[in-house]
Amino acid sequence: MVAINSSEPTIFSASKLLKHLDRIVELQSTGDTRPVMVRVDLTNVCNHRCPMCNGAPGALTSDRSSLSLATLEGLAKDFNTLGVKAVALGGGGDPSVHPQVAEILRLFKSYGLETAMFTNGQLMRESFLDAVVDCCSWIRISLDADGPEMFKATHGMDGGDWDKVLVNTRNLVERRARRGSPIVIGASFLIGSHTRSGIYGAAAVARELGVDYIRMRPYFTWNGDLPFDRAEAEEVLAELERAMTLSTDKFIVSYPKARTEWVSGSTGRPTYKKCRIHHFITEVNADGKVHLCCHTKYNSKYILGDLYEKSFIDMWHSEQRKQVYRNIDFNDCAIPCKMSAHNEILEMIDGPVMHPNFL
């Protein structure tokens, strides 16, 4: 079991960016750098029917593409050459649906890449469980409910499916202990008007399952919409604080205060002038297209290239990628962007200061 003691675990801290000072210096001196992490959608196929999937207008798609093992090996080679350090598998669909997901996890590890995964937790075959605990730094299970009724509303699935997710999560925790794996196992819960009543209950479920933490966060929104009414914000914040009383030295309840408190007051609009974080992170979709980030992957304006036309390395050094960066429009962004804290750090570092050597 992993002990986590801070009210805001370092796993979520924006200060992690400062562990990559070489890339920050490279960006400052050359205007460009190489990605630290890449998010990869293995497939657009999912076994759940979440009505608010991805939170974006038009995000639900009939595209059922999946990346082949050969394509992913090419990516792994390019990542290794560029100095990418980590790969996070998400969706799109659910990565566990990909029939070769266990092989893929071992493939990335063989190229020296740290790997992590977001999943709904329902499809956990034996080979998958072994690969996860052997290869992943962390895995986060999208719980999004305090019981079967809310699970139906958030994931579109029945009580038997809810029970399966719970059983699989317990099995994963037990498998970790048996194999002596250092993997961190977490759960997540999306907060909206229809889920705010489940905040405390979901945290209690997660603690009983034996996971290391649960991350509570509002649904992302676009166009200034709110995931819950401002009138409900006080109740949400009170429930989050109540849920945090369930934290122990081995289990933590966490939520992003800036994103949550935005709903109750401020605009959530960026205070920085440029989006710089996308020099450090990008998104590969299951159809082979590479996008600026996970929030713009359904917007054609932010396509950096196509893996079936150009290698990832060539794409990264292309004029097309730089052109996309130059034309970022914050009106197209999720509100508030989860990468805002990173951008604020980069803006501060890049900004002018007087007498920088007098600390």
Side-chain angles (χ1 to χ4, degrees):
M1 181 67 67
V2 178
I4 303 175
N5 297 304
S6 170
S7 61
E8 180 68 350
T10 55
I11 191 173
F12 302 115
S13 173
S15 65
K16 289 191 292 184
L17 181 64
L18 299 177
K19 297 291 186 180
H20 306 285
L21 291 176
D22 58 329
R23 306 288 168 97
I24 294 173
V25 171
E26 187 175 46
L27 178 62
Q28 284 192 302
S29 59
T30 70
D32 200 8
T33 189
R34 296 151 293 136
V36 173
M37 187 187 90
V38 180
R39 301 179 189 274
V40 178
D41 295 350
L42 298 184
T43 180
N44 282 333
V45 180
C46 189
N47 56 323
H48 282 200
R49 299 184 292 276
C50 306
M52 296 179 70
C53 182
N54 290 308
L60 292 174
T61 175
S62 59
D63 183 279
R64 297 177 68 80
S65 300
S66 295
L67 293 170
S68 70
L69 194 60
T71 299
L72 289 161
E73 181 155 20
L75 268 181
K77 289 177 181 177
D78 280 359
F79 291 167
N80 180 271
T81 300
L82 273 173
V84 174
K85 299 181 180 182
V87 177
L89 305 181
D94 195 283
S96 67
V97 176
H98 196 293
Q100 295 171 295
V101 62
E103 295 169 75
I104 292 164
L105 288 172
R106 297 189 186 281
L107 169 69
F108 283 131
K109 184 176 181 179
S110 73
Y111 279 91
L113 295 158
E114 282 196 77
T115 311
M117 179 182 294
F118 302 91
T119 178
N120 60 44
Q122 189 170 351
L123 294 178
M124 290 195 177
R125 303 171 290 275
E126 288 295 309
S127 61
F128 173 79
L129 285 169
D130 286 344
V132 166
V133 297
D134 289 346
C135 302
C136 287
S137 297
W138 55 265
I139 186 170
R140 194 177 309 162
I141 296 162
S142 303
L143 206 57
D144 300 322
D146 61 351
E149 183 177 349
M150 188 171 290
F151 193 64
K152 178 71 173 179
T154 57
H155 281 242
M157 306 299 286
D158 295 325
D161 303 302
W162 165 257
D163 291 340
K164 183 64 174 174
V165 170
L166 301 188
V167 168
N168 284 344
T169 304
R170 290 191 186 95
N171 287 342
L172 180 62
V173 171
E174 292 169 4
R175 185 74 54 105
R176 172 178 67 177
R178 289 201 305 270
R179 297 176 81 92
S181 169
I183 183 175
V184 173
I185 302 172
S188 61
F189 182 92
L190 288 169
I191 307 169
S193 291
H194 61 309
T195 65
R196 70 186 195 280
S197 64
I199 290 172
Y200 184 87
V205 169
R207 189 171 80 165
E208 189 276 330
L209 290 172
V211 302
D212 300 309
Y213 68 88
I214 186 168
R215 182 68 161 175
M216 307 278 194
R217 54 190 175 87
Y219 281 93
F220 281 107
T221 64
W222 280 256
N223 303 320
D225 296 334
L226 297 175
F228 44 88
D229 293 340
R230 293 202 190 281
E232 299 167 339
E234 186 174 341
E235 177 188 340
V236 167
L237 289 168
E239 281 300 286
L240 285 168
E241 291 303 312
R242 186 165 79 98
M244 288 183 71
T245 64
L246 294 171
S247 296
T248 69
D249 62 342
K250 295 182 178 179
F251 172 75
I252 192 104
V253 178
S254 169
Y255 68 93
K257 291 190 176 182
R259 281 174 55 193
T260 308
E261 292 173 353
W262 155 74
V263 181
S264 63
S266 64
T267 65
R269 291 291 178 182
T271 58
Y272 43 88
K273 302 297 188 293
K274 293 181 181 178
C275 180
R276 297 171 175 86
I277 191 60
H278 297 298
H279 292 282
F280 300 82
I281 184 171
T282 195
E283 173 93 12
V284 177
N285 203 355
D287 62 1
K289 292 182 173 61
V290 179
H291 294 257
L292 180 73
C293 70
C294 60
H295 299 306
T296 59
K297 65 184 177 183
Y298 295 101
N299 190 330
S300 60
K301 289 167 57 178
Y302 298 106
I303 296 175
L304 308 183
D306 191 322
L307 290 175
Y308 298 115
E309 298 173 358
K310 189 178 293 186
S311 72
F312 186 87
I313 286 180
D314 289 344
M315 197 182 308
W316 194 257
H317 295 307
S318 71
E319 179 58 30
Q320 180 176 343
R321 180 181 71 89
K322 296 172 184 176
Q323 185 67 29
V324 169
Y325 281 16
R326 286 193 289 268
N327 293 324
I328 293 173
D329 183 348
F330 288 161
N331 290 319
D332 296 325
C333 296
I335 303 172
C337 176
K338 66 181 178 182
M339 306 307 291
S340 287
H342 297 81
N343 270 319
E344 288 166 2
I345 290 173
L346 291 168
E347 177 109 335
M348 179 181 63
I349 291 172
D350 202 39
V353 294
M354 184 178 289
H355 305 150
N357 296 330
F358 288 86
L359 302 177

